[in-house]
């Protein structure tokens, strides 16, 4: 068993070491006041989240407003702040030591709701990584997180999400091929540091221009999400790898 941390920050730093993967990673920093304001001024919107959480818990979006104020969104709740001091005070109260801040990706949307994708990458002992399934998670109304339980969102096929998004004019086969390619490169980069891991659930996204992004990598992904798809063959395939 590896002693290496499985936190979001550690996995991000490992992925960043790959020149080929850097273009697919949102710029991310350990949460400090200086890093927060640098990224917010650079991208106009940032996400802050705890490094050890899952299920969308603790994820907050902050964006600069045109009137020089700031809007914060936590779940479906929104707050407005008029100055930096108010934002700093909120962050000190709301966040602990183990938080990261990253650029907010303008996710592609289905009916105005952002979606991302869970890509399952698995391997048998001593064999190469394979993509065994993928689905799209569409956020519930008013939410920025796509976690199904938290936002009352829905699961659809990736093909369905593409077809009903800003990406519908692009070739679906090309988008899916790029998704698989980046997912497999991610698993190949992380695999040697976590040799005990045989299953990865990689959360990925398309922005509104069709660029692929790596959001985070889970080593204990919830397989039952795949039961929400009409076609259960992906779930059976994933489970067959899991058992072995």
């Amino acid at each position: 068993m590896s002693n290496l941390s499985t936190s979001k920050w550690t996995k991000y730093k490992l992925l960043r070491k790959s020149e080929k993967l850097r273009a697919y990673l949102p710029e991310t920093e350990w949460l400090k006041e200086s890093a927060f304001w640098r990224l917010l001024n650079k991208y106009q919107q940032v996400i802050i989240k705890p490094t050890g959480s899952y299920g969308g818990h603790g994820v907050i979006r902050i964006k600069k407003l045109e009137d020089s104020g700031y809007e914060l969104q936590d779940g479906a709740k929104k707050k407005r702040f008029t100055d930096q001091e108010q934002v700093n005070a909120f962050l000190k109260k709301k966040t602990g030591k183990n938080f990261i801040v990253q650029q907010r990706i303008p996710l592609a949307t289905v009916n105005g709701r952002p979606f991302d994708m869970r890509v399952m990458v698995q391997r048998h002992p001593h064999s190469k990584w394979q993509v065994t399934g993928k689905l799209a998670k569409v956020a519930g109304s008013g939410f920025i997180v796509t976690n199904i339980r938290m936002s009352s969102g829905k699961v659809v096929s990736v093909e369905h999400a593409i077809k009903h998004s800003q990406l519908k004019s692009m070739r679906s086969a090309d988008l899916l091929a790029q998704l698989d390619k980046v997912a497999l490169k991610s698993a190949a980069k992380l695999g040697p540091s976590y040799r005990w891991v045989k299953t990865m659930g990689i959360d990925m996204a398309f922005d509104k221009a069709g660029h692929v992004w790596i959001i985070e990598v889970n080593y204990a992904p919830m397989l039952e999400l795949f039961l929400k798809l009409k076609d259960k063959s992906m779930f059976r395939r994933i489970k067959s790898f899991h058992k072995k």
Side-chain angles (χ1 to χ4, degrees):
M1 188 74 78
S2 169
N3 290 321
L4 192 64
S5 166
T6 58
S7 76
K8 294 178 176 68
W9 180 240
T10 301
K11 287 180 277 195
Y12 171 80
K13 286 193 294 182
L14 286 169
L15 291 170
R16 278 282 303 174
K17 289 180 179 177
S18 165
E19 278 188 37
K20 290 178 180 176
L21 289 173
R22 269 179 219 158
Y24 307 108
L25 290 163
E27 187 174 357
T28 305
E29 299 271 8
W30 194 253
L31 180 59
K32 292 179 181 174
E33 214 172 90
S34 57
F36 170 82
W37 288 107
R38 185 183 72 78
L39 291 186
L40 184 61
N41 288 328
K42 184 175 180 180
Y43 296 108
Q44 309 304 306
Q45 290 193 52
V46 294
I47 295 285
I48 58 174
K49 56 188 174 184
T51 63
S53 73
Y54 60 92
H57 294 285
V59 177
I60 297 170
R61 180 194 69 177
I62 300 174
K63 71 176 179 179
K64 290 180 80 169
L65 301 173
E66 289 182 10
D67 62 4
S68 77
Y70 305 91
E71 182 186 86
L72 179 144
Q73 183 167 355
D74 183 0
K77 296 176 186 173
K78 293 182 180 180
K79 285 185 181 180
R80 282 185 66 133
F81 297 112
T82 55
D83 56 47
Q84 291 191 9
E85 286 72 22
Q86 287 181 329
V87 176
N88 289 337
F90 175 86
L91 292 178
K92 277 182 185 171
K93 183 181 174 184
K94 189 79 177 177
T95 65
K97 290 180 181 177
N98 300 317
F99 273 72
I100 54 177
V101 54
Q102 65 184 190
Q103 80 182 92
R104 168 94 197 286
I105 305 302
L107 299 185
T109 59
V110 173
N111 297 324
R113 301 180 186 187
F115 74 90
D116 65 11
M117 294 152 294
R118 168 67 52 83
V119 181
M120 296 296 296
V121 185
Q122 296 175 282
R123 65 177 174 184
H124 295 304
H126 315 297
S127 71
K128 287 185 176 181
W129 291 99
Q130 298 178 46
V131 174
T132 53
K134 45 183 166 299
L135 55 75
K137 298 172 288 168
V138 183
S141 179
F143 281 79
I144 52 161
V145 295
T146 59
N147 179 265
I148 301 305
R149 283 183 187 162
M150 181 173 284
S151 74
S152 299
K154 64 179 181 178
V155 169
V156 298
S157 70
V158 177
E159 293 84 351
H160 175 93
I162 291 171
K163 188 177 176 182
H164 293 85
S165 74
Q166 298 92 336
L167 313 178
K168 59 189 173 190
S169 61
M170 301 180 190
R171 271 177 50 88
S172 181
D174 292 342
L175 291 169
L176 295 174
Q178 183 73 346
L179 202 63
D180 287 1
K181 180 180 162 188
V182 176
L184 290 169
K185 280 183 180 173
S186 301
K189 182 64 184 173
L190 293 170
S193 298
Y194 302 96
R195 294 189 181 278
W196 49 275
V197 173
K198 301 291 184 289
T199 293
M200 296 187 191
I202 307 181
D203 284 338
M204 306 177 73
F206 291 120
D207 62 24
K208 289 174 179 162
H211 181 76
V212 175
W213 295 91
I214 304 162
I215 306 299
E216 61 186 60
V217 183
N218 302 286
Y219 294 155
M222 197 171 82
L223 308 183
E224 286 68 29
L225 276 181
F226 285 85
L227 284 173
K228 295 180 182 292
L229 293 172
K230 285 181 184 175
D231 181 358
K232 305 292 188 276
S233 61
M234 266 192 273
F235 177 76
R236 290 193 291 271
R237 186 173 187 217
I238 292 163
K239 287 291 277 187
S240 73
F241 267 77
H242 215 58
K243 284 173 186 170
K244 292 171 187 173

